Amino acid sequence: MRRQHLTETWLVLGVSLGASAVWSLLRIVDRLTRAEALGSQTTAMNSSVTPDRPWLDLAYQLTGIVLALVPVLLALHLLRRDDPDEPHTMGFDLRRPWQDLARGALLAAAIGIPGLALYAAAKALDLNTTVAAANLAETWWTVPVLILAAAQNAVLEEVVMVGYLFRRWGQVGWGTWQVIVTSAVIRGAYHLYQGFGGFVGNLVMGLVFGWLYTRTRRVMPLVVAHTVLDVVAFVGYALLREQVGWL
């Protein structure tokens, strides 16, 4: 059973965030081997596919969001074979909404403010690209789609990287900090496409989130915090990029 669980985790990662980490490693090699300095390069996120046809672009965006959540359903399905009470066991539910919202908001502030300083420092040292966090065409659905994309990122990363992996790796006998550090390193790795600031920032975020989860056994505050961070990054960039030069 130990070997089966371990194989299962690598397969789940292989069709989700583990694959993203591999592509991200290739991306940073590509960036580092260009003539242009890393700090002079731009990473575009949340980009339009067919900006000249907004209705089709909306279909593309929504389809991408929905399909990105399939690994979450897979992870929950696999866990439910052992524990019918999932996703409640990992705390991915609405049983404590106000407590989860309060904890998530505080956690977002604690991570987001130092994270912004780290991003600015990494850019100044040519260790990170300029992250263009929102590049959708300006339509009536731009902000709602960015919010949905933020929520999708949060659910995918926190349910898979924390709720699912912490359970499975604990079952195969890994120690608490072995689980926390491994998960955090993978989290940092799939953000390497942004540069080394993105790697370090998300590594630290993974360590903090992982430690908190071992204390509370509730993934929902992490989902709330991650959603808030991404909403601020995505929507804030979309609204302020013309007014704030350093974005």
Side-chain angles (χ1 to χ4, degrees):
M1 184 62 72
R2 180 181 184 275
R3 184 173 181 179
Q4 180 180 335
H5 282 338
L6 195 57
T7 300
E8 179 190 289
T9 61
W10 295 120
L11 289 174
V12 170
L13 284 171
V15 297
S16 59
L17 295 164
S20 298
V22 173
W23 290 116
S24 193
L25 285 168
L26 291 173
R27 188 62 171 159
I28 192 63
V29 171
D30 168 39
R31 292 187 179 282
L32 291 173
T33 52
R34 295 180 187 178
E36 186 182 16
L38 189 62
S40 300
Q41 298 176 38
T42 299
T43 297
M45 302 169 61
N46 298 304
S47 299
S48 285
V49 180
T50 57
D52 57 322
R53 288 158 291 169
W55 60 273
L56 184 57
D57 199 16
L58 176 59
Y60 269 110
Q61 302 302 326
L62 294 178
T63 300
I65 290 168
V66 171
L67 291 180
L69 292 174
V70 172
V72 173
L73 299 177
L74 173 61
L76 293 175
H77 169 74
L78 293 170
L79 290 180
R80 280 179 63 86
R81 294 185 305 180
D82 304 331
D83 181 3
D85 198 38
E86 281 292 5
H88 302 306
T89 301
M90 71 169 67
F92 182 54
D93 54 42
L94 300 177
R95 293 180 175 182
R96 304 176 189 173
W98 301 116
Q99 183 183 79
D100 291 340
L101 283 171
R103 287 180 174 178
L106 289 173
L107 185 56
I111 293 290
I113 296 172
L116 188 60
L118 175 63
Y119 168 69
K123 270 192 63 180
L125 295 171
D126 268 347
L127 295 174
N128 212 80
T129 63
T130 296
V131 178
N135 298 276
L136 295 175
E138 293 186 12
T139 65
W140 64 267
W141 49 259
T142 299
V143 170
V145 164
L146 290 174
I147 292 172
L148 287 175
Q152 171 255 298
N153 287 344
V155 171
L156 173 62
E157 294 189 40
E158 306 315 326
V159 170
V160 173
M161 296 307 301
V162 179
Y164 168 73
L165 289 179
F166 277 46
R167 169 76 66 81
R168 282 293 188 248
W169 284 343
Q171 289 173 327
V172 302
W174 287 17
T176 298
W177 279 103
Q178 184 181 6
V179 174
I180 292 173
V181 171
T182 304
S183 174
V185 169
I186 296 172
R187 187 190 292 258
Y190 60 74
H191 286 91
L192 257 176
Y193 68 94
Q194 300 174 9
F196 297 104
F199 171 79
V200 173
N202 282 279
L203 171 67
V204 173
M205 178 175 165
L207 293 172
V208 173
F209 277 23
W211 178 80
L212 284 174
Y213 180 72
T214 63
R215 308 286 292 181
T216 65
R217 291 296 167 183
R218 284 196 63 77
V219 82
M220 205 62 187
L222 310 182
V223 172
V224 171
H226 196 146
T227 301
V228 170
L229 289 169
D230 279 7
V231 167
V232 170
F234 297 168
V235 178
Y237 182 88
L239 296 178
L240 298 176
R241 60 186 166 187
E242 302 299 330
Q243 288 75 38
V244 182
W246 61 268
L247 285 177

